[in-house]
Amino acid sequence: MIQKLIEKIKKTNAPIVVGLDPMMGYIPEHVQKKAFGEFGETLEGAAEAIWQFNKEIVDKTYDLIPAVKPQIAMYEQFGVPGLAAFKKTVDYCKEKGLVVIGDVKRGDIGSTSAAYAVAHLGKVKVGSKEYAPFDEDFMTINPYLGSDGVNPFLDVCREEKKGLFILVKTSNPSSGEFQDQLVDGRPLYELVGEKVAQWGEQCMGDDYSYVGAVVGATYPEMGKTLRRVMPKSYILVPGYGAQGGQGKDLVHFFNEDGLGAIVNSSRGIIAAYKQEAYARYGAENFGEASRAAVEDMVTDISRALAER
C-alpha cells in the first residue's frame, strides 16, 4: 500500500492528506437541517449530516489529493450510527481512488492488538467466510506498550500489504511531558523513532517501509532529527494550518527526493468556509471553499520544497 500512496502523491504532486474530522460545529446549517428533517435530531440524524458533509468535501477535492484521514473519535461520539458513517466514508473514499488512513490510534497487547488490527486492516473469520470490517489502507497506532503491542499490527500489515503510522512525536502542546523526557541523555521520541525504523525493516516496499511515523508539524527541528533516524519511513505530519504549521516548517520532514512525508490538514480544509480567506464561498459552497484551501496548501508546500 505504501507504493500506491507514493504513486498517488507523485500523480497529484500533492503530499497532503485531508483529515475528515467532522465536528457538528463544522457542518453548515443547511446540511444539518436536511439530515434532521429526514432522521430527526437523533444519532442517526447526526450521522447522516456527517456523511453528507464528508461526501461533498470528497467530491470537491478527490482529484487534487492522494489520501484522506478520517479520525474515528469524531464518528464514535455518535455511537453505532456514527461508526456506520465512518465505514460509509471509508468505502466512498476508496471508490474515489483515495488512500484511506484510519486515524484510530489503537494500541494494546496480544490478542487485543490483533483484534484491532483485524478490525481496521485485516479480515475477520465468521464461520467459513472472511470479512474486512472497516478496511482502511493504513491506521495510526500508539507504540507505548512496546513490541508485543505492535507486532500483531505488523503481522496483519505483512499479510494484507497495508501500512501503519506509529505515534512518535505528536503535535499537541503537552506532548513533551512524556515524549521529550531524556533516557540515557536522549529524548524518548528519538528512541521510539529508532524502534519504528527497526519495525519498518520487517515490512519494506521498494524504497519506503509500510511502517511510517507520526511527527507533528509544530516541532520542525525534532522532525529534522527524526527524518535522519527514520530514513525509510514515511512521516505523517499533523499540525499544518489550524495548529500553526506552515510549508516552510515542513521541508525537513521530506527526503531529498521530495518524498518521505505527507502533511495533514483537517479543520483548515473541511471548515475552510469559516475562515476569512474563504468566506466568499459561504456555507452553501463549503465544498468549493475546501477545494480552494487544498489548492493553497499544495502551493504553499510546493513553494517551500522548491526553495529549500
Side-chain angles (χ1 to χ4, degrees):
M1 190 52 63
I2 189 64
Q3 298 307 128
K4 181 179 178 181
L5 179 61
I6 292 170
E7 288 166 10
K8 291 283 292 182
I9 289 171
K10 288 179 176 178
K11 182 178 179 180
T12 58
N13 198 28
I16 71 172
V17 53
V18 173
L20 295 176
D21 306 352
M23 300 285 284
M24 289 302 286
Y26 299 164
I27 301 176
E29 185 177 347
H30 71 277
V31 177
Q32 293 192 40
K33 188 175 180 179
K34 183 179 179 182
F36 294 161
E38 187 173 354
F39 294 96
E41 293 183 353
T42 61
L43 294 176
E44 289 77 10
E48 175 65 13
I50 285 170
W51 158 240
Q52 293 298 337
F53 179 70
N54 285 350
K55 184 176 183 298
E56 174 67 9
I57 289 169
V58 171
D59 285 345
K60 291 295 191 294
T61 62
Y62 77 92
D63 59 316
L64 301 178
I65 61 175
V68 293
K69 183 176 70 65
Q71 182 9 279
I72 200 167
M74 301 307 177
Y75 304 82
E76 285 181 348
Q77 65 183 325
F78 298 107
V80 173
L83 284 176
F86 178 87
K87 174 58 174 169
K88 207 170 180 178
T89 297
V90 169
D91 290 347
Y92 189 70
C93 290
K94 293 180 78 168
E95 285 175 19
K96 289 291 189 178
L98 294 167
V99 173
V100 178
I101 301 169
D103 193 357
V104 300
K105 296 185 179 70
R106 298 299 193 242
D108 212 303
I109 56 172
S111 59
T112 312
S113 271
Y116 281 139
V118 164
H120 291 280
L121 299 179
K123 297 183 179 69
V124 65
K125 293 198 73 171
V126 181
S128 61
K129 298 182 179 180
E130 287 188 330
Y131 298 91
F134 288 108
D135 200 25
E136 300 103 299
D137 300 310
F138 290 81
M139 67 184 290
T140 58
I141 68 169
N142 189 326
Y144 283 88
L145 278 77
S147 292
D148 54 353
V150 173
N151 287 333
F153 293 101
L154 297 177
D155 291 342
V156 172
C157 282
R158 282 191 291 267
E159 185 176 337
E160 301 291 339
K161 296 291 186 275
K162 293 189 175 183
L164 303 173
F165 285 103
I166 300 178
L167 303 182
V168 174
K169 176 59 182 172
T170 56
S171 59
N172 57 302
S174 64
S175 65
E177 289 177 0
F178 299 117
Q179 297 168 24
D180 295 1
Q181 293 302 303
L182 298 182
V183 180
D184 295 330
R186 299 175 66 199
L188 178 59
Y189 66 78
E190 202 171 309
L191 302 182
V192 176
E194 287 185 349
K195 198 67 181 173
V196 168
Q198 292 173 18
W199 287 323
E201 291 172 359
Q202 304 174 37
C203 303
M204 282 299 299
D206 292 344
D207 298 303
Y208 288 92
S209 171
Y210 283 70
V211 180
V214 178
V215 182
T218 43
Y219 301 104
E221 286 305 310
M222 297 174 186
K224 186 176 183 179
T225 298
L226 289 166
R227 175 74 283 166
R228 190 166 58 247
V229 168
M230 304 178 293
K232 297 296 184 182
S233 295
Y234 241 78
I235 298 177
L236 171 62
V237 188
Y240 178 92
Q243 292 185 51
Q246 302 176 47
K248 62 184 175 60
D249 302 322
L250 306 176
V251 294
H252 299 309
F253 292 91
F254 291 82
N255 282 318
E256 291 301 318
D257 58 6
L259 300 171
I262 186 165
V263 182
N264 176 78
S265 180
S266 298
R267 64 184 180 273
I269 289 175
I270 67 174
Y273 76 97
K274 288 178 169 284
Q275 301 172 35
E276 185 178 346
Y278 307 104
R280 65 188 183 277
Y281 291 97
E284 289 290 333
N285 299 302
F286 68 92
E288 294 292 349
S290 294
R291 183 178 181 87
V294 166
E295 291 173 336
D296 289 345
M297 182 178 173
V298 172
T299 298
D300 180 37
I301 294 172
S302 297
R303 182 182 296 123
L305 288 174
E307 292 174 353
R308 66 172 172 171

